Amino acid sequence: MKNVTITVDDNVLEWARVEAARRGTSVSRMVGDFLAEMQRREDAYERAYLAWRTDERTWDARDTSAAARSVCFARTGDAA
């Protein structure tokens, strides 16, 4: 692990100290957990985006097959 020096407003640091104490942890751990969560979310978003970009399926709005119509009518409650 590496140490990092950050600069924050006094009122933010005071809030962080109180919040860390309330959670039973340290400001350092809270910041580290926050950054790790951001990394996980970003990685998950990137994976989902790449999966979407490489999806081989085609979505043709002009598809008027009976199956497509039945799905549309099922959503609206209309009869086919």
Side-chain angles (χ1 to χ4, degrees):
M1 288 203 179
K2 299 285 185 179
N3 290 329
V4 176
T5 301
I6 62 171
T7 304
V8 296
D9 290 334
D10 290 342
N11 61 335
V12 173
L13 181 58
E14 183 60 30
W15 173 86
R17 286 180 173 151
V18 169
E19 188 63 22
R22 189 181 69 78
R23 295 178 185 207
T25 189
S26 66
V27 171
S28 179
R29 174 66 64 174
M30 233 172 45
V31 171
D33 290 348
F34 172 74
L35 293 173
E37 179 62 23
M38 284 182 61
Q39 180 186 27
R40 282 190 292 275
R41 287 182 184 200
E42 185 67 24
D43 289 349
Y45 175 83
E46 184 68 20
R47 284 191 306 275
Y49 176 74
L50 290 174
W52 173 77
R53 290 286 305 210
T54 58
D55 192 352
E56 296 293 327
R57 295 176 289 188
T58 58
W59 302 97
D60 190 353
R62 297 169 294 172
D63 185 4
T64 57
S65 67
R69 283 194 309 274
S70 68
V71 169
C72 180
F73 290 130
R75 288 186 192 152
T76 62
D78 296 337

